């Protein structure tokens, strides 16, 4: 059979497979699995047949004739499928693995003929236009090619059943299990008759279900990311040409049925149905890549092959899946479909589940800690009850142990955290910061690095005229940046002359007062004229008749206009690339624009012009030159009859150079200050851009991201070339001793410390940068890297992987694509970078207030728990489970939530960021403060006033009580409960500040003040209302008994003031230390204590 198969002609082999075999030698073992099929026909043996031969053994007889025929057919099918796979591998860059996470292809750099052959597709009789003759792929191959290539669809991620998720939110997790266990015990005690307290299990179950429902709903709202990606996929049928035995077949093919090698026809308004190579297009064809890149400026397309090794994302002969044709028509060849497209690669990188937020990790850590404490306390109570010499009924033992356990569980923690974050997010939305994922509020307060896109975030996102440079004297050129003093009627001032010449532009059309249509450069010049002179005067200039025009094109790189001159004759104006303009110039205006100021261009003047060009280019500005001259052609001159060559030789001869324009996408107002504010707060700002390094560096210097100096330290600026070979082969960085792991670690450890600008990066590079910062950044005082907490801004689909990877993804609300918004945790509604600083300060305040809230909640746990153990010593139960619930759910939860409105203390943004792994919200200091400091003071006061109840001492040691003794126990228990309420009020006031005195800080949080008043009223209701007395086992108190516990408030407050005074003497551990020893001059303009909604 092998010999029969060897009769296949070499010409039948897919062209280009030899290339695959050659570069296969350079690939790793892992990569070589994609290239197992070689070119030599003798090696094309059916794998299935080879396996059969191996099983049969060397002595096996040859297969029957029928079997040989069947095997041959199978071999041909397998070989054909493998050939088709090899065609697709030909589309990848040599030495690259098709399974790599980054996007790469050689389709843009391969010569057209070679590319068409490799895909077994064909051009038409009219060449790349493919409008005549048989073209495209062979219809006979479509079925097999479809099996190999699959559908042109992006594979959606698997989704968890929403009802299963709801069940998980409510019933799983150690905290929920603990709470449901407590409910179960309470229900069991009621069922067995050992308890008549039905309020506790109902309230507790309601709290757990409500918290689970809230979390479930929040997750559902944030799950539309892949739906938005799906919306970018083309759905309409696409005009396509295929061939059948050299016969042309024009057809409409559904977008999802397109195959590699298909030739499609695109027109303005069409969504690109796959990744395509432009074969032919009309002059000036443009595509809108905003859906992918977020860049608002349409990009031109050109069918010419790109330079080998150039990034495909920058190739002008490619168009990508999901983008749109905005101008012109094109014939294109499909080369990647579905998951292999640029959009598909991005989708693959965001399918993985988002990692837990810093708040989730901290709350989980806290819950585990509390769960351990609660279980230990409950077991201790159970053991003490069992070992007690005085026997107790089993119901009593279980109730006592459950009460001890229950007293340690902060039932209101989850709703308190959730509602507090919702309130903080509402305050942030008033400052144009929309929070999509609540826990991002706390994470934003921990951010240590902000990675920002350049265009549209740090800069305005549109080209702007920033400089006009002209000769002040023969030896010096001067610049003008304020164009408001120019006048279109001024014929002598060089600035006015330049600006008038720039707006004399027929390619730019004004649509309304603030809308412009045209190329970015011409729009920039037009906008400068409109902002200086107004629309009417600019239109007057534009409405001047045009006698002759040479429009701008990429070959000439200039534009020429001839118009009538008001004083007679004609005015010729020329603008374009400086070197092209200077080629036609013999003279230059010096000092003014009248004829007496014209001098001949000397080598010295030429050198000055070139030097100023370099200066402007060094500032990453696009530079244009402008020249003019006056002519005196006859009034009846036939301008239409002048050829292009004649115009170049005559009209453009001996022009007078006027000056240079510097055009740039400038930084937004306020960005420089916002960057400096971040740096003052100990936050590093990094620019990540797909732009040229020079452009990125120039903007970074202007907004203080990097120092304004010529020589920058190593690793300050990283480009795509620096990142070559520094991308891990897997999903992310891995620890290990392999040469690759050591090389990557050495490189990235330097980068995360020193890099401030990343330029010419791909979407996967952006995600990689974030991963590196999270792995090797965040060096702490102990010399250990805990990883930076990274906020990443972006607006395009290409930013989505990095937005999802970051601890906080920040999308632009105006410019941002739906995919970017869905991948983000926070959306800046005004697209202003300065709003991030607002968000960070609010995040820090939210974290601080959340810590205060939790600290306050935990203060009552010791006095709530101890009574269960004291009961074993014979002391009547001082606090029952219903009273614990009355404190935790009835009063504490609302007071804890009110902390969300707490104004900031001094120097909030003068501290270093709090790292959640080093300094958790619930740390040792918080636990010590709540349990061993405030909790112990409260407990001592509670027991003191408990034993002031008349006759209580005589009840100690008894197990059976008379009705009078029961009433005495109720009075003592009520005093204990009421004193604890007062103690919690003192804790509420004490925890409003860490160090600042209440005498200075006062009580600015009016909502907290209201909650404290309501707390007292609720306690009085429980004490005096008859129905409440039955539920909570309380009784009325005398006026003296109501007033005396307030000694607790006075005593705790005085002790706290002494502690805070001592703490203020010590330097704050997290203040940002500046070299000059001073405090950062951070001008904050947000979070007014008097108005929580003001920014």
């Amino acid at each position: 059979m092998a010999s029969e198969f060897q009769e296949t002609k070499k010409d039948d082999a897919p062209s280009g497979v030899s290339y695959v075999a050659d570069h296969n030698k350079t690939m790793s073992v892992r990569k070589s699995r994609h290239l197992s099929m070689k070119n030599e026909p003798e090696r094309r043996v059916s794998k299935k047949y080879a396996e059969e031969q191996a099983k049969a053994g060397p002595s096996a007889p040859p297969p029957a004739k029928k079997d040989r025929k069947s095997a041959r057919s199978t071999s041909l099918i397998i070989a054909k499928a493998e050939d088709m796979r090899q065609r697709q591998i030909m589309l990848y860059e040599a030495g690259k693995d098709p399974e790599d996470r980054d996007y790469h292809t050689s389709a843009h750099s391969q010569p057209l003929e070679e590319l068409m052959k490799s895909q077994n597709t064909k051009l038409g009789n009219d060449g790349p236009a493919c409008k005549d003759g048989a073209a495209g792929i062979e219809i006979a191959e479509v079925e097999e090619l479809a099996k190999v290539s699959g559908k042109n669809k992006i594979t959606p991620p698997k989704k968890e059943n929403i009802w299963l998720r709801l069940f998980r939110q409510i019933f799983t997790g150690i905290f929920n299990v603990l709470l449901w266990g407590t409910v179960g015990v309470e229900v069991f005690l009621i069922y067995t008759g050992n308890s008549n307290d039905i309020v506790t299990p109902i309230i507790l179950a309601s709290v757990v279900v409500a918290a689970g429902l809230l979390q479930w709903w929040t997750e559902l709202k944030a799950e539309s990311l892949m739906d938005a990606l799906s919306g970018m996929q083309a759905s309409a049928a696409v005009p396509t040409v295929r061939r059948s035995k050299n016969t042309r077949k024009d057809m409409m093919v559904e977008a999802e049925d397109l195959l590699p090698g298909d030739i499609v026809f695109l027109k303005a308004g069409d969504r690109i149905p796959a990744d395509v190579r432009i074969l032919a297009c009309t002059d000036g064809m443009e595509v809108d890549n905003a859906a992918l890149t977020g860049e608002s400026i349409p990009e031109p397309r050109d069918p010419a092959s790109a330079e080998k090794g150039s990034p495909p994302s920058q190739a002008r002969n490619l168009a990508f899946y999901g983008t749109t044709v905005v101008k012109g028509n094109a014939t294109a060849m499909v080369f990647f479909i579905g998951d292999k497209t640029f959009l598909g690669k991005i989708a693959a990188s965001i399918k993985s589940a988002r990692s837990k937020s810093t708040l989730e990790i901290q709350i989980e850590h806290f819950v585990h800690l509390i769960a351990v404490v609660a279980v230990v306390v409950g077991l201790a109570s159970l053991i003490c009850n069992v070992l007690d010499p005085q026997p107790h009924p089993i119901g009593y033992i279980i109730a006592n142990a459950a009460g001890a356990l229950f007293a340690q569980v902060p039932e209101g923690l989850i709703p308190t955290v959730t509602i507090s974050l919702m309130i903080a997010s509402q305050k942030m939305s008033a400052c144009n910061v929309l929070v999509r994922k609540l826990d991002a509020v706390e994470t934003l307060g921990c951010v240590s690095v902000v990675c920002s896109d350049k265009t549209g975030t740090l800069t305005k996102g549109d080209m702007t005229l920033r400089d006009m440079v002209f000769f002040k004297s023969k030896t010096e050129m001067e610049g003008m940046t304020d164009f408001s003093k120019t006048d279109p009627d001024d014929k002598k001032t060089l600035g006015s002359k330049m600006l008038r010449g720039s707006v004399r532009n027929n390619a730019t059309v004004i649509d309304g007062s603030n809308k412009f249509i045209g190329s970015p450069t011409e729009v920039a010049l037009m906008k400068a004229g409109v902002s200086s002179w107004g629309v009417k005067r600019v239109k007057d200039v534009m409405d001047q008749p045009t006698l002759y025009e040479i429009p701008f094109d990429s070959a000439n790189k200039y534009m020429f206009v001839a118009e009538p001159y008001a004083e007679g004759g004609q005015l010729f104006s020329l603008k374009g690339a400086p070197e092209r303009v200077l080629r036609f110039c013999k003279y230059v205006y010096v000092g003014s624009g009248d004829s007496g100021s014209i001098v001949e261009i000397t080598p010295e003047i030429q050198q000055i012009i070139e030097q100023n060009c370099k200066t402007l280019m060094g500032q990453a500005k696009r530079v244009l030159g402008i020249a003019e001259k006056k002519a005196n052609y006859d009034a009846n001159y036939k301008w239409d009859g002048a050829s292009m060559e004649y115009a170049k030789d005559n009209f453009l001869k001996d022009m007078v150079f006027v000056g240079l324009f510097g055009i740039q996408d400038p930084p937004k107002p306020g960005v420089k200050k916002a960057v400096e504010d971040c740096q003052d707060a100990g936050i590093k700002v990094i620019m990540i851009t797909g732009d040229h390094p020079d452009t990125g560096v120039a903007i970074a210097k202007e907004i203080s991201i990097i120092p304004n100096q010529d020589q920058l330290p190593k690793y300050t600026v990283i480009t795509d070339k620096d990142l070559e070979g520094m991308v891990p082969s897997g999903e992310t960085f891995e620890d290990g001793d392999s040469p690759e792991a050591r090389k990557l670690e050495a490189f990235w450890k330097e980068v995360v410390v020193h890099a401030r600008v990343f330029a010419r990066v791909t979407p996967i590079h952006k995600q990689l940068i974030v991963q590196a910062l999270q792995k090797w950044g965040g060096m702490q005082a102990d010399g250990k890297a805990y990883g930076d907490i990274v906020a990443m801004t972006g607006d395009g689909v290409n930013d989505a992987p990095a937005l999802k990877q970051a601890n906080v993804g920040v999308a632009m609300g105006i410019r941002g694509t739906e995919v970017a918004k869905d991948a983000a945790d926070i959306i800046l509604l005004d697209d202003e970078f300065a709003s991030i600083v607002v968000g960070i300060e609010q995040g820090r305040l939210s974290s601080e207030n959340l810590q205060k809230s939790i600290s306050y909640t935990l203060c009552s746990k010791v006095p709530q728990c101890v009574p269960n153990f004291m009961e074993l010593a014979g002391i009547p139960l001082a606090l029952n489970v219903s009273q614990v619930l009355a404190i935790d759910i009835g009063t504490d939860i609302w007071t804890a939530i009110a902390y969300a409105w707490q104004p900031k203390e001094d120097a909030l943004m003068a501290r270093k960021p709090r790292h959640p792994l080093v300094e958790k919200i619930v740390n040792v200091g918080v636990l010590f403060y709540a349990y061993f400091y405030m909790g112990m003071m409260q407990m001592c006061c509670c027991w003191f006033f408990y034993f002031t109840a008349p006759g209580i001492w005589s009840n100690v040691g008894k197990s059976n009580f008379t009705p009078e003794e029961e009433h005495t126990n109720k009075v003592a228990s009520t005093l204990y409960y009421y004193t604890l309420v007062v103690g919690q009020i003192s804790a509420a006031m004490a925890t409003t500040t860490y160090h600042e005195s209440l005498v200075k800080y006062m009580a600015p949080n009016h909502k907290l003040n209201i909650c404290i008043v309501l707390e007292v009223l609720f306690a009085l209701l429980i004490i005096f209302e008859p129905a409440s007395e039955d539920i909570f086992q309380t009784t009325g108190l005398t006026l003296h008994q109501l007033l005396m516990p307030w000694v607790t408030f006075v005593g705790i407050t005085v002790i706290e003031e002494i502690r805070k005074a001592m703490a203020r003497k010590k330097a704050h551990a997290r203040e940002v230390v500046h070299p000059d020893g001073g405090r950062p001059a951070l001008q904050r303009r947000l979070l007014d204590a008097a108005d929580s909604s003001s920014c």
Side-chain angles (χ1 to χ4, degrees), residues 1008-1020:
L1008 179 62
N1009 299 337
I1010 292 171
C1011 284
I1012 289 173
V1013 173
L1014 293 176
E1015 198 168 331
V1016 175
L1017 295 176
F1018 185 76
L1020 294 175

Side-chain angles (χ1 to χ4, degrees), residues 700-809:
K701 286 180 178 179
E702 190 170 348
I703 60 178
S704 302
I705 289 180
I706 58 177
N708 191 8
Q709 58 191 47
D710 293 334
Q711 292 297 323
L712 294 171
K714 190 178 180 182
Y715 296 110
T716 301
V717 181
I718 303 294
T719 68
D720 56 336
K721 289 185 171 55
D722 298 319
L723 296 178
E724 286 182 5
M726 296 300 172
V727 178
S729 53
E731 293 261 336
T732 186
F733 296 100
E734 295 179 0
D735 296 321
D737 292 328
S738 66
E740 181 192 26
R742 289 197 299 270
K743 180 184 75 170
L744 292 177
E745 182 176 356
F747 174 77
W748 284 104
K749 275 188 172 180
E750 294 292 335
V751 168
V752 298
V753 173
H754 302 292
R756 295 295 182 274
V757 175
F758 290 87
R760 290 291 194 208
V761 295
T762 67
I764 302 304
H765 285 156
K766 292 184 178 184
Q767 186 180 26
L768 194 68
I769 292 162
V770 174
Q771 289 175 344
L773 288 164
Q774 291 171 332
K775 183 174 180 63
W776 287 298
M779 187 70 70
Q780 299 297 314
D782 59 3
K784 184 178 178 182
Y786 290 87
D788 278 310
I789 306 301
V790 183
M792 175 75 197
T793 73
D795 50 17
V797 176
N798 63 333
D799 296 318
L803 288 172
K804 192 172 181 184
Q805 179 68 46
N807 302 93
V808 184

Side-chain angles (χ1 to χ4, degrees), residues 81-82 84-85 88 143-150 340:
E82 190 63 30
M84 290 177 178
R85 291 190 187 95
Q88 295 180 24
E143 184 178 354
E144 193 64 37
L145 189 55
K147 290 179 183 178
V148 173
S149 304
K340 295 182 175 66

Side-chain angles (χ1 to χ4, degrees), residues 147-193:
K147 290 179 183 178
V148 173
S149 304
K151 288 285 187 181
N152 182 28
K153 295 171 64 177
I154 294 175
T155 307
K158 293 181 180 178
K159 289 186 178 181
E160 182 183 12
N161 182 278
I162 60 172
W163 304 114
L164 183 63
R165 178 182 299 178
L166 177 61
F167 178 87
R168 179 172 55 81
Q169 292 288 1
I170 294 176
F171 294 102
T172 63
I174 188 168
F175 192 62
N176 284 354
V177 169
L178 197 62
L179 293 176
W180 283 118
T182 306
V183 171
V185 171
E186 291 289 334
V187 172
F188 174 77
L189 292 174
I190 295 169
Y191 179 76
T192 57

